[in-house]
Amino acid sequence: MIVAAVVIVMAIATIVEKIHGTTFVSTKIYSTWWFSAIWGILAIASIARIITSGMQKTLTVLTLHISFVVILAGALTTHLTSKKGYLHLRCGETARLYTEQSSNGDMRTATLPFSVKLNDFNIKNYEGTTTHSDYASHLTFSTDGGSTNKTVSMNNIAVVEGYRFYQTSFDRDMKGSILTVTYDPYGTGITYIGYGLLIVSAILLLVLRTPRIKQLYRQLNGSRVLAIGCLVLMTAITFAKTPVMAREDAEKAERKLIVYNGRVCPLNTLAHDFCLKITGKTSYKGLSAEQLLLSLPMAPEEWSEKPLLKIKNKALKERLGIKTDLACIKDFYENDGRYKLDILLNEQMNKAEDDQDKKLVRSIYDVDEQISLVNAAVTGKLIEPYKGNNPPSETHISAEILYNQLPLTVVGAFMILIGILIIVIAEIIRKKGFAVKLGILLIISAFQLAVFILRWYISGNIPLSNGYETMAFVSLSTSLLTLLAIWMLRKQTFVCNTVTIGGLMIAGLTLLVAHLSEMSPQITSLMPVLHSPWLTTHVSLIMISYSLFAFMAVIAGVDLVKKDTRLDALNRLMLYPAEIFLTIGIFLGAIWANQSWGTYWSWDPKEVWALISMLIYCIPFHTESLPFMKKAKVMDWYLIMAFLSILMTYFGVNYLLGGMHSYAGN
């Protein structure tokens, strides 16, 4: 009941924040005595459970529960004793005073026990671009013991006499810097001890296995493969009259280096994205993407009469009188030269909007962006030549061109199709059924892993920084988990087939969603704050947990129909690594946040919903106090409904609630 109350309060708080803002929810909910009291009651209940349940017999389980109590104690200590504020310095300026912010949002002037001088502030850009890769403040700290020079940049903090300084922002003229100042002498240390206990006990829980895990293994005739695997995972006829650039010339130009999306890349990447954005495909009526992009400036008037623009919204097509799949630029202008989209937008703004109207307005903006891109291409403003002195290697250029040609959407659809047909194949070729499944999964997993590594090589950063990349990683994780699971379950045909179908369906759908939704597959430069070693483990562990939770929801659905005890055992077994990966991922993210923003928990909607999901999925473990969770049917329905919290954490927060973790703007 206490866990349920905490979950409900936090869920409501995220909605309140969307309506009334972050400051309101912080002062009215997160910083109130009664919110702290709820967590205090939960901590007391956990201690009582530790004493009365007899979990002292299993050291890993005992340590795991104690770690949560320690983490809550650390959070309370931070809440009561820490300080946080902001220090604004201009170059050459020395200060002792900073603005301190209380838990209820009030500001007051406070004094540092030493002085701080800003010697210089500079911004580092990605080579050959104007995109920022880091911000750095060069400071001198003068204490009673003398002066020390330190540089504060993104993910690189300075610690002086217990005060921690973080790079937060800067003045527009780049002559001033804004630093976050925190002082938490006790809370952070206690909390980190809790994190350490949690991570160590969680890993040992998977490796050493509790009596309950051993029982589930026996039900599946399992082996150590799952535990080991989980740890490894942690580590041109139509245009005869229109001037068109020759294909040979376009192919020569595809390797030309340009600055696009804040990074240096071959023109092929821009052409690929441009053609896909404008026409909905990566080629256009026999022309390559490069031919289309480079041919537009050759005859703008003639190209304005060619059907180029893909319009998805049927209502917009009807309003414009367009009856074909592609529209011409001239279709968007009246005879007197007026821009039709401006007229339509003004009409929509002057009427009450329903959902259809909102979709129409969004489509107007999308098409206007398409037209702007075409105009930029026609005038030559879209292409910015690279003028740097350190160009990417020829191998790097070839790798990016290869990546742009990969049919990832087709692969996603293929995985779904194979998922549907795999049971038929296995039944027709009974003796070779497992070999067929294993071979297909090996090919798919190897292809996805190669694509992941290729994108990593091209971008220079592990591809886990936006919505598209994390969805693609979920697909990859699911394929690898499916491969691992069917090897472990190879002697149990029905369970093996169920896992194979579910895994391929999840992996395929996830890949399709990544490509067909509003998520952008474009490779971009990393924001400065994402240059952190914590990114890899934090995001990858959480994405793997999402894959496992999706697996469990699918298997639960099958179990409701087939009622097989092995499926129930498989779900209960997978719950351990899924919950552990999610939990460790959350708290590693907290450490990263403390290194970047000066606070390990800020009650951002994504953080809150991740915590909600963690609490929801911890409930099925407590079958002794919740005996109804022992029933397979109850467990199946619970896992299906619990997956809604994962969908809310990933999609709902991104597109409905927002916050600093939201990918919706990418």
Side-chain angles (χ1 to χ4, degrees), residues 469-490:
E469 291 178 343
T470 53
M471 286 293 285
F473 185 74
V474 168
S475 181
L476 169 62
S477 301
T478 304
S479 297
L480 294 173
L481 287 168
T482 305
L483 187 62
L484 175 68
I486 70 163
W487 178 260
M488 187 187 75
L489 302 168
R490 59 189 179 276

Side-chain angles (χ1 to χ4, degrees), residues 258-331:
I258 63 170
V259 177
Y260 170 58
N261 268 342
R263 67 186 190 92
V264 180
C265 65
L267 183 133
N268 171 265
T269 298
L270 170 60
H272 175 275
D273 292 349
F274 174 82
C275 191
L276 186 63
K277 177 74 175 179
I278 301 302
T279 70
K281 297 181 180 179
T282 55
S283 62
Y284 177 67
K285 296 187 176 180
L287 299 181
S288 68
E290 291 84 3
Q291 281 181 289
L292 175 63
L293 176 63
L294 298 174
S295 297
L296 288 173
M298 298 171 65
E301 290 297 325
E302 294 183 41
W303 276 104
S304 69
E305 298 180 359
K306 298 295 181 183
L308 285 175
L309 278 64
K310 179 72 173 180
I311 304 178
K312 299 178 181 180
N313 189 282
K314 293 182 179 179
L316 180 58
K317 292 175 68 174
E318 291 175 359
R319 298 288 294 273
L320 294 170
I322 298 171
K323 298 181 180 179
T324 56
D325 289 337
L326 299 175
C328 306
I329 295 293
K330 70 174 186 177
D331 292 335

Side-chain angles (χ1 to χ4, degrees), residues 457-476:
Y457 172 69
I458 293 167
S459 66
N461 304 289
I462 187 167
L464 291 171
S465 61
N466 57 44
Y468 168 82
E469 291 178 343
T470 53
M471 286 293 285
F473 185 74
V474 168
S475 181
L476 169 62

Side-chain angles (χ1 to χ4, degrees), residues 411-423 425 504-505 508:
V411 172
F414 173 77
M415 283 192 284
I416 296 174
L417 178 63
I418 292 298
I420 295 172
L421 296 179
I422 195 72
I423 186 68
I425 295 173
L504 286 172
M505 292 288 285

Side-chain angles (χ1 to χ4, degrees), residues 218-252:
R218 286 194 294 271
Q219 285 182 252
L220 287 168
N221 296 320
S223 65
R224 292 183 179 269
V225 175
L226 183 62
I228 296 172
C230 289
L231 291 177
V232 171
L233 281 173
M234 284 170 59
T235 32
I237 295 175
T238 306
F239 300 94
K241 296 181 180 180
T242 303
V244 173
M245 177 171 283
R247 182 174 288 271
E248 294 80 9
D249 293 334
E251 289 176 353
K252 292 177 183 178

Side-chain angles (χ1 to χ4, degrees), residues 286-579:
L287 299 181
S288 68
E290 291 84 3
Q291 281 181 289
L292 175 63
L293 176 63
L294 298 174
S295 297
L296 288 173
M298 298 171 65
E301 290 297 325
E302 294 183 41
W303 276 104
S304 69
E305 298 180 359
K306 298 295 181 183
L308 285 175
L309 278 64
K310 179 72 173 180
I311 304 178
K312 299 178 181 180
N313 189 282
K314 293 182 179 179
L316 180 58
K317 292 175 68 174
E318 291 175 359
R319 298 288 294 273
L320 294 170
I322 298 171
K323 298 181 180 179
T324 56
D325 289 337
L326 299 175
C328 306
I329 295 293
K330 70 174 186 177
D331 292 335
F332 297 90
Y333 293 90
E334 300 282 7
N335 294 331
D336 59 3
R338 289 185 301 160
Y339 188 37
K340 292 182 180 180
L341 292 184
D342 279 345
I343 299 172
L344 284 176
L345 190 59
N346 288 331
E347 290 176 358
Q348 290 301 124
M349 293 303 180
N350 293 325
K351 60 180 290 190
E353 291 186 346
D354 56 20
D355 288 340
Q356 288 298 112
D357 291 323
K358 291 178 181 178
K359 291 179 181 179
L360 178 59
V361 170
R362 190 160 55 246
S363 183
I364 290 173
Y365 283 121
D366 289 342
V367 175
D368 181 67
E369 182 184 0
Q370 289 176 291
I371 294 173
S372 297
L373 285 172
V374 172
N375 290 334
V378 166
T379 59
K381 295 179 180 179
L382 192 62
I383 301 175
E384 180 185 348
Y386 170 67
K387 299 178 181 178
N389 299 317
N390 187 24
S393 66
E394 289 298 314
T395 303
H396 192 281
I397 294 171
S398 298
E400 184 154 352
I401 292 173
L402 171 63
Y403 179 85
N404 292 334
Q405 296 171 345
L406 295 175
L408 298 179
T409 305
V410 175
V411 172
F414 173 77
M415 283 192 284
I416 296 174
L417 178 63
I418 292 298
I420 295 172
L421 296 179
I422 195 72
I423 186 68
V424 179
I425 295 173
E427 287 300 318
I428 293 175
I429 317 174
R430 284 181 177 273
K431 294 183 179 179
K432 299 181 180 180
F434 176 73
V436 171
K437 291 191 285 286
L438 185 65
I440 291 172
L441 277 166
L442 278 171
I443 293 171
I444 289 173
S445 300
F447 175 80
Q448 287 188 280
L449 184 59
V451 170
F452 180 81
I453 294 172
L454 185 61
R455 187 176 177 107
W456 190 344
Y457 172 69
I458 293 167
S459 66
N461 304 289
I462 187 167
L464 291 171
S465 61
N466 57 44
Y468 168 82
E469 291 178 343
T470 53
M471 286 293 285
F473 185 74
V474 168
S475 181
L476 169 62
S477 301
T478 304
S479 297
L480 294 173
L481 287 168
T482 305
L483 187 62
L484 175 68
I486 70 163
W487 178 260
M488 187 187 75
L489 302 168
R490 59 189 179 276
K491 296 181 180 180
Q492 302 186 43
T493 304
F494 171 69
V495 179
C496 187
N497 285 340
T498 302
V499 170
T500 305
I501 295 170
L504 286 172
M505 292 288 285
I506 294 168
L509 282 169
T510 305
L511 196 59
L512 279 179
V513 167
H515 281 271
L516 300 181
S517 68
E518 296 180 1
M519 295 179 182
S520 173
Q522 297 174 0
I523 298 174
T524 58
S525 299
L526 277 184
M527 293 166 49
V529 75
L530 297 181
H531 286 288
S532 171
W534 297 107
L535 172 67
T536 305
T537 48
H538 163 61
V539 178
S540 59
L541 284 175
I542 290 178
M543 291 302 108
I544 292 171
S545 76
Y546 288 1
S547 298
L548 286 166
F549 289 133
F551 248 127
M552 291 155 59
V554 171
I555 291 173
V558 175
D559 191 40
L560 284 173
V561 177
K562 293 292 185 178
K563 295 180 177 62
D564 191 302
T565 57
R566 292 169 299 178
L567 294 179
D568 179 60
L570 179 61
N571 261 349
R572 293 180 188 273
L573 185 60
M574 285 197 297
L575 185 60
Y576 283 88
E579 177 74 349

Side-chain angles (χ1 to χ4, degrees), residues 80-236:
L80 296 175
T81 65
S82 67
K83 302 176 184 178
K84 182 177 181 180
Y86 304 94
L87 176 63
H88 180 208
L89 290 170
R90 297 286 293 174
C91 286
E93 183 178 89
T94 301
R96 278 180 175 268
L97 302 178
Y98 72 102
T99 302
E100 187 178 304
Q101 181 179 13
S102 65
S103 59
N104 61 8
D106 294 335
M107 299 291 188
R108 70 180 186 89
T109 300
T111 304
L112 293 168
F114 48 82
S115 63
V116 186
K117 179 182 179 181
L118 177 63
N119 301 311
D120 189 23
F121 174 81
N122 56 58
I123 296 177
K124 182 180 179 182
N125 294 334
Y126 287 101
E127 205 278 328
T129 76
T130 58
T131 302
H132 304 332
S133 64
D134 204 358
Y135 317 112
S137 296
H138 304 281
L139 306 165
T140 297
F141 295 90
S142 299
T143 65
D144 294 338
S147 298
T148 305
N149 293 324
K150 293 178 180 288
T151 297
V152 176
S153 58
M154 302 305 297
N155 294 308
N156 178 40
I157 66 175
V159 182
V160 180
E161 295 187 1
Y163 285 84
R164 298 160 67 92
F165 294 82
Y166 305 78
Q167 183 64 53
T168 302
S169 186
F170 55 90
D171 295 342
R172 289 188 177 183
D173 63 358
M174 291 186 289
K175 297 295 184 181
S177 178
I178 299 175
L179 306 170
T180 295
V181 183
T182 66
Y183 183 71
D184 186 14
Y186 312 112
T188 299
I190 297 172
T191 303
Y192 277 19
I193 291 173
Y195 290 170
L197 288 173
L198 183 147
I199 293 170
V200 171
S201 59
I203 293 173
L204 290 176
L205 184 66
L206 286 179
V207 175
L208 300 178
R209 298 184 290 180
T210 65
R212 177 58 177 152
I213 294 179
K214 292 178 181 179
Q215 179 186 357
L216 293 171
Y217 266 102
R218 286 194 294 271
Q219 285 182 252
L220 287 168
N221 296 320
S223 65
R224 292 183 179 269
V225 175
L226 183 62
I228 296 172
C230 289
L231 291 177
V232 171
L233 281 173
M234 284 170 59
T235 32

